[in-house]
Amino acid sequence: QARGMTNVAVRRYCHISSVSAAILKRRIHMWQRFAKEPSHHSAAVAAMSGHVAGLADQLDGRLPSKSANPWLKQAWSDLQRVAEIDPVSARATALWLEQSPQMHFFHSFLDT
């Protein structure tokens, strides 16, 4: 009688990650590129965390607000997910992102 394997078991056996883990990794690398070359990404960073007259603030103090841009919420969520898996790597990524003054919202992650 044939016995099947779960997706998790197959990925473990083949030493491959899930699609969601691969996408998370790519987004983390994207945030790192944003921080490495902030002048190349100033419009995206401003859209994510800047203040636009007449619109709700993107940040609630130093955290993404409930009405924040979905990309800002996604960046925050990505760092939290990485922190659950590898706190040292998440902290290093947040420190790297923090080097860019436009990415100041990552201060809050460093405080957690």
Side-chain angles (χ1 to χ4, degrees):
Q1 180 173 340
R3 191 174 137 216
M5 294 176 73
T6 66
N7 286 340
V8 173
V10 170
R11 284 195 304 271
R12 216 176 267 141
Y13 180 79
C14 295
H15 304 288
I16 59 175
S17 60
S18 67
V19 172
S20 64
I23 292 171
L24 171 65
K25 182 179 176 183
R26 286 179 183 246
R27 279 195 310 260
I28 291 294
H29 285 275
M30 179 185 74
W31 303 129
Q32 289 172 334
R33 284 192 308 273
F34 274 38
K36 188 175 181 182
E37 297 288 341
S39 62
H40 294 186
H41 307 285
S42 57
V45 172
M48 284 191 326
S49 62
H51 176 72
V52 178
L55 297 178
D57 286 335
Q58 299 295 315
L59 301 174
D60 182 13
R62 290 171 33 179
L63 299 173
S65 67
K66 290 185 189 271
S67 61
N69 182 302
W71 280 43
L72 179 62
K73 290 180 183 179
Q74 185 67 60
W76 187 255
S77 174
D78 288 346
L79 278 179
Q80 289 177 320
R81 284 186 58 203
V82 170
E84 292 171 5
I85 300 164
D86 183 3
V88 174
S89 178
R91 188 161 177 79
T93 298
L95 283 168
W96 187 351
L97 289 168
E98 186 52 38
Q99 293 174 5
S100 168
Q102 294 93 339
M103 304 295 269
H104 65 279
F105 57 91
F106 286 100
H107 269 300
S108 300
F109 184 80
L110 297 172
D111 294 338
T112 60

